[in-house]
Amino acid sequence: MDPFPNNSLPLQGLGLSFGSVEWNHPRFPTLHERAALLATRLPRWAIASGTTAGWVWTGMGMPEPWEVLRPPRPALSPLQRTLWSAREQNPRHHIIQRMSGLTLLSAEATAREVLFSSTPVDSRAAQLWVLESFCRRPLATLLSDRKSTVSARGNAQRALIALAGLRENYPDITR
């Protein structure tokens, strides 16, 4: 049985569905409403990262697949480590904040994680387009902030190329 009793609302135009996240209102959720939605879906220990945090900040793309970090202490139980694939938070690179009950990365730290994410490049480019306005530095400089593999850097470069393509093809939207 579907756990969402109001799952027909999106079909009627009275709600929205973002994968397994349901929004039962006929309008798009605000920044704080998106944060509150994910606060109810993620474990209390989880730190929203990557495109999951990007969805909160921008409303672009999808919050899933879940990208979360875990705090260095206390350690997660073996059961939680089995259920959730979560990298450990690095306080030097992962600046966190709380918003509407959700712990998530700052907008700039989110931009860096979105660059290196393995989710589809078009979704990442759309999130980067919005996140760029929150960043104090150009997005390309975020690539050198952390160690990464050659393939991860190539993946990040593809996101920057897709972002440049958005600007070129849709100048009226991206200006």
Side-chain angles (χ1 to χ4, degrees):
M1 183 160 180
D2 194 337
F4 301 105
N6 298 318
N7 66 350
S8 67
L9 291 178
L11 294 173
Q12 299 173 41
L14 300 173
L16 298 168
S17 176
F18 306 101
S20 68
V21 178
E22 298 287 329
W23 175 246
N24 295 322
H25 301 281
R27 60 177 176 73
F28 199 79
T30 66
L31 169 68
H32 290 279
E33 289 168 336
R34 290 189 301 271
L37 270 173
L38 292 195
T40 64
R41 303 290 300 181
L42 297 176
R44 191 175 306 183
W45 56 261
I47 302 165
S49 175
T51 54
T52 299
W55 180 79
V56 173
W57 284 109
T58 69
M60 305 291 256
M62 297 291 275
E64 297 173 293
W66 301 118
E67 292 188 66
V68 296
L69 299 172
R70 59 183 165 82
R73 303 233 187 276
L76 290 184
S77 72
L79 179 60
Q80 287 294 311
R81 285 194 304 266
T82 302
L83 294 173
W84 291 88
S85 174
R87 295 185 353 252
E88 187 173 300
Q89 177 216 2
N90 180 337
R92 207 169 75 203
H93 299 297
H94 300 130
I95 309 302
I96 61 171
Q97 61 186 77
R98 298 260 316 150
M99 181 187 305
S100 302
L102 177 70
T103 304
L104 75 161
L105 293 180
S106 68
E108 189 166 304
T110 297
R112 182 175 38 262
E113 294 300 311
V114 167
L115 275 168
F116 288 104
S117 175
S118 61
T119 56
V121 70
D122 291 334
S123 177
R124 290 185 296 139
Q127 287 186 352
L128 289 169
W129 167 65
V130 177
L131 286 167
E132 189 171 33
S133 64
F134 292 106
C135 295
R136 296 171 300 197
R137 313 183 282 148
L139 291 175
T141 64
L142 298 178
L143 296 176
S144 61
D145 281 357
R146 73 173 212 202
K147 292 180 183 179
S148 59
T149 65
V150 172
S151 65
R153 284 188 187 280
N155 187 38
Q157 288 291 344
R158 283 189 291 283
L160 291 175
I161 290 167
L163 175 59
L166 284 177
R167 287 190 190 113
E168 183 179 326
N169 294 324
Y170 305 101
D172 56 328
I173 296 172
T174 58
R175 92 177 87 117

